[in-house]
Amino acid sequence: MKFSALSLLRHALTGNREWTPHWRDAAPKPGYDVVIVGGGGHGLATAYYLAREFGIRNVALLEKGWIGGGNVGRNTTIVRSNYLLPGNIPFYETSLKLWEGLEQALNFNAMVSQRGVLNLYHSDAQRDAYARRGNAMRLEGVDAELLDADAVAKLVPQLDFDNARFPIKGGLLQPRGGTVRHDAVAWGFARAASDLGVDIIQNCEVTAIERDASGRAIAVQTARGRIGAAKIGLAVAGNSSRVAALAGLRLPIESHVLQAFVSEGVKPLIDGVITFGAGHFYVSQSDKGGLVFGGDIDGYNSYAQRGNLPVVEDVCEGGMAILPMIGRLRLLRSWGGIMDMSMDGSPIIDRTPIDGLYLNAGWCYGGFKATPASGLCFAHLIARDTPHPVASAYRLDRFATGAVIDEKGQGAQPNLH
Amino acid sequence: MRIPCPYCGERDAREFSYLGDASVARPATDDAAAYHEYVNLRANPAGPHREFWYHASGCRSWLVVTRDTRTHRIEGAELVR
Ligand SMILES: Cc1cc2nc3c(=O)[nH]c(=O)nc-3n(C[C@H](O)[C@H](O)[C@H](O)COP(=O)(O)OP(=O)(O)OC[C@H]3O[C@@H](n4cnc5c(N)ncnc54)[C@H](O)[C@@H]3O)c2cc1C
Ligand SMILES: [Zn+2]
């Protein structure tokens, strides 16, 4: 079934009662060319690009819960490519370009909304750092504009410009950044992959990784039986250490919780995405009117999928510092998601020391924006056994060789990235 | 979260800062592979985790706290030695 103005009208006239499921709920076959573990955005995108770009259609995607129940449906939906380091900029820009054409490619409305991402600065040193970042971006053909306080005030007059401690002196704007409806990304990729022949298998937790006498990974044991695979790709954000441990691998990763918050709905207040540069706070407004915001991770290893109160307070303080008016709003919901925090704050898309086993991990709290490029690059790696050119820096051995990609300059401290 | 400091008693987690896995040990040799393991590789368990916390706003001791990463439940804390 293809979406078109006509099909939407037809369904509207029949009371939207005749929609059919958007992807096949497949039962596992005994074996596949490729098995992808993890039905989040990255796993689904990988399965889709394996089928569409590389012609590998005998693919199973295994999800322990349901499609979209992980971080792909828990994040604050921000997409941008305002990175500084050479290993990162081309990758995230490739991803932003894919977002720009995604809805046409998938025939699915993911509400890609390029409303701009504005990072505020509060000191001269911070302005210089953002000028440098903006220049690095423009050298790679990425859009960036350095704004002074007057230009920011024109764009977002409701910000507090009288804060004595953290005065807003300007901001770095990426006009092409914005937000994308996260659940729709999972559903759109699932539907498109399924149409290309990929088996999407839910309620199918991988509990063991089987290896042959030569050490090669050849199958997975799951809640729905044994499934053989010529190649196995792991894309289990937040759980990478646990799943890699099934194959005896230790990773340069810790799992941490990040919380997100949604306020009651209000009239249009914030157009794009705004981040507070002197603390850690980011906010946008959903189409329903709720303010969607977040801040720092809780800062200690966690698999709890819920956070603790000190960070709630810290996030709200950050929000009040730039938008005091939000102190009057009530919170509708808050939740936590578990992320792989890597030792340098950057992701890993690489082969593992085990033949037949491929790893997509370490997305920290910025991996949603990466979804399409991560899928494309991971599919490229699995199909061709060589890294995609824009993801060639995301090596697993970079921690051992020292070629780390440390955007924040924090060293091997996952809770500080 | 409240952490039972052996000196100060049970105190709010806000008084402490976190330094990660306490089970890794600095290698005795200067072997690069051993250092890579020490600096970068982690078991990252879902369950009981022995971890370093510094009681910055209290007695300024380093503690090893045993905490369940699935529930945030703290089983105990002892001084680092
Ligand atoms: C609160 C919060 C806010 C965030 N905000 C942003 C943001 O604004 N912008 C941004 O770019 N990024 C953001 N992120 C980060 C981003 O969400 C993640 O980096 C990204 O979504 C991770 O990839 P994924 O979608 O594939 O992961 P997931 O959706 O988590 O997919 C992994 C899947 O693997 C499954 N799985 C795990 N173990 C097994 C197993 N043994 N067998 C089978 N399946 C298994 C899980 O059930 C899960 O569905 C945020 C994260 C959080 C938590
Ligand atoms: Zn103490």
Side-chain angles (χ1 to χ4, degrees), chain A residues 6-19:
Chain A
L6 200 66
S7 77
L8 292 180
L9 184 67
R10 192 162 47 76
H11 282 289
L13 292 176
T14 51
N16 283 314
R17 279 187 304 263
E18 285 164 25
W19 291 107

Side-chain angles (χ1 to χ4, degrees), chain A residues 221-278:
Chain A
Q221 295 290 346
T222 78
R224 299 176 69 174
R226 179 187 188 275
I227 303 175
K231 293 180 174 180
I232 300 167
L234 307 182
V236 290
N239 280 294
S240 298
S241 299
R242 297 164 80 184
V243 181
L246 300 176
L249 289 179
R250 266 165 84 92
L251 298 180
I253 283 174
E254 288 180 359
S255 295
H256 287 250
V257 65
L258 178 66
Q259 304 188 58
F261 306 86
V262 175
S263 77
E264 61 187 320
V266 290
K267 289 189 172 172
L269 172 68
I270 293 167
D271 189 31
V273 178
I274 301 165
T275 76
F276 174 43

Side-chain angles (χ1 to χ4, degrees), chain A residues 300 308 310, chain B residues 1-17 53-61 63 65 67 72-74 76-77:
Chain A
Y300 37 83
N308 273 314
Chain B
M1 227 161 66
R2 294 175 69 77
I3 296 176
C5 174
Y7 281 136
C8 313
E10 200 179 87
R11 303 292 277 267
D12 193 283
R14 258 176 277 217
E15 293 185 6
F16 300 77
S17 45
W53 290 80
Y54 176 58
H55 198 180
S57 307
C59 60
R60 301 203 183 172
S61 299
L63 309 179
V65 174
R67 188 179 57 93
H72 300 163
R73 210 182 86 85
I74 290 172

Side-chain angles (χ1 to χ4, degrees), chain A residues 339-364:
Chain A
M339 311 151 315
D340 283 353
M341 295 302 296
S342 64
M343 287 289 165
D344 64 356
S346 293
I348 298 158
I349 302 178
D350 203 357
R351 292 194 279 184
T352 70
I354 296 167
D355 277 344
L357 189 67
Y358 301 76
L359 181 67
N360 176 312
W363 289 99
C364 301

Side-chain angles (χ1 to χ4, degrees), chain A residues 18-370:
Chain A
E18 285 164 25
W19 291 107
T20 47
H22 284 218
W23 61 84
R24 291 174 296 114
D25 194 16
K29 293 192 282 186
Y32 292 89
D33 293 341
V34 179
V35 163
I36 301 293
V37 185
H42 291 213
L44 290 162
T46 305
Y48 166 73
Y49 288 113
L50 273 172
R52 205 201 69 179
E53 291 292 313
F54 303 98
I56 304 178
R57 296 183 174 211
N58 184 23
V59 175
L61 177 131
L62 313 182
E63 164 56 46
K64 76 171 172 188
W66 68 96
I67 298 302
N71 285 345
V72 68
R74 286 172 188 268
N75 64 74
T76 41
T77 78
I78 301 165
V79 302
R80 54 183 174 86
S81 59
N82 54 356
Y83 280 75
L84 176 68
L85 297 182
N88 280 333
I89 303 182
F91 174 82
Y92 286 101
E93 179 58 11
T94 299
S95 208
L96 193 54
K97 290 213 176 92
L98 286 170
W99 285 120
E100 287 171 337
L102 190 75
E103 295 170 317
Q104 303 303 322
L106 300 182
N107 178 236
F108 201 95
N109 182 7
M111 294 162 65
V112 176
S113 174
Q114 293 178 286
R115 298 178 278 169
V117 172
L118 176 67
N119 303 132
L120 301 174
Y121 60 78
H122 311 267
S123 67
D124 292 350
Q126 218 178 7
R127 180 201 55 217
D128 293 351
Y130 278 162
R132 178 174 174 227
R133 180 178 293 261
N135 288 338
M137 290 163 63
R138 291 172 76 132
L139 283 170
E140 293 279 348
V142 183
D143 59 319
E145 289 169 32
L146 195 67
L147 308 182
D148 60 14
D150 289 344
V152 170
K154 248 198 203 130
L155 203 63
V156 203
Q158 57 273 40
L159 291 174
D160 180 9
F161 291 88
D162 296 329
N163 188 314
R165 195 156 166 227
F166 306 119
I168 294 170
K169 295 196 158 190
L172 181 66
L173 176 69
Q174 183 180 22
R176 285 166 60 247
T179 60
V180 180
R181 173 150 190 225
H182 48 13
D183 309 292
V185 172
W187 302 331
F189 274 122
R191 172 171 169 271
S194 178
D195 283 351
L196 291 169
V198 171
D199 278 356
I200 292 174
I201 303 163
Q202 304 183 76
N203 298 312
C204 186
E205 177 168 5
V206 168
T207 53
I209 295 173
E210 197 179 308
R211 297 166 68 182
D212 69 9
S214 73
R216 189 182 171 86
I218 52 163
V220 290
Q221 295 290 346
T222 78
R224 299 176 69 174
R226 179 187 188 275
I227 303 175
K231 293 180 174 180
I232 300 167
L234 307 182
V236 290
N239 280 294
S240 298
S241 299
R242 297 164 80 184
V243 181
L246 300 176
L249 289 179
R250 266 165 84 92
L251 298 180
I253 283 174
E254 288 180 359
S255 295
H256 287 250
V257 65
L258 178 66
Q259 304 188 58
F261 306 86
V262 175
S263 77
E264 61 187 320
V266 290
K267 289 189 172 172
L269 172 68
I270 293 167
D271 189 31
V273 178
I274 301 165
T275 76
F276 174 43
H280 201 173
F281 175 79
Y282 39 89
V283 61
S284 63
Q285 189 166 15
S286 80
D287 293 346
K288 279 199 249 174
L291 298 189
V292 180
F293 57 90
D296 270 324
I297 61 176
D298 277 31
Y300 37 83
N301 294 41
S302 173
Y303 286 94
Q305 291 205 333
R306 63 168 176 77
N308 273 314
L309 286 170
V311 171
V312 178
E313 191 178 0
D314 184 64
V315 169
C316 293
E317 276 171 7
M320 293 290 285
I322 55 170
L323 279 163
M325 67 173 76
I326 65 172
R328 318 273 310 213
L329 291 181
R330 277 165 298 194
L331 276 187
L332 277 192
R333 295 191 285 286
S334 73
W335 63 90
I338 302 304
M339 311 151 315
D340 283 353
M341 295 302 296
S342 64
M343 287 289 165
D344 64 356
S346 293
I348 298 158
I349 302 178
D350 203 357
R351 292 194 279 184
T352 70
I354 296 167
D355 277 344
L357 189 67
Y358 301 76
L359 181 67
N360 176 312
W363 289 99
C364 301
Y365 49 72
F368 175 63
K369 68 175 89 69

